[in-house]
Amino acid sequence: MFTLTPGRFGRAGVPRWVDPVLVGDIEYREYTGEGLRHPSWRGLRTDKAPEEVRIPDEIGPTS
């Protein structure tokens, strides 16, 4: 999935991979392919595990 490998000591400019622990709820107006447009933090989701989170096939406005 990723082409880069993580850095050993978190040096500047070197990615450092972490395991997902928390799930956040974010509302947004649009997904542009480069990121979320007008994202708004809504809080933590205690009803979902990180393994359950998926990017929808068709990403559109959340309202």
Side-chain angles (χ1 to χ4, degrees), residues 26-38:
I26 299 172
E27 183 177 351
Y28 56 91
R29 295 289 156 228
E30 180 181 15
Y31 180 73
T32 64
E34 295 179 10
L36 301 177
R37 187 171 201 168
H38 306 291

Side-chain angles (χ1 to χ4, degrees), residues 6-42:
R8 289 188 61 196
F9 302 108
R11 296 179 305 264
V14 177
R16 182 173 186 179
W17 306 116
V18 296
D19 291 324
V21 177
L22 303 173
V23 175
D25 190 12
I26 299 172
E27 183 177 351
Y28 56 91
R29 295 289 156 228
E30 180 181 15
Y31 180 73
T32 64
E34 295 179 10
L36 301 177
R37 187 171 201 168
H38 306 291
S40 177
W41 175 256
R42 298 186 63 204

Side-chain angles (χ1 to χ4, degrees), residues 4 18 43 46-47:
L4 298 174
V18 296
T46 57
D47 61 328

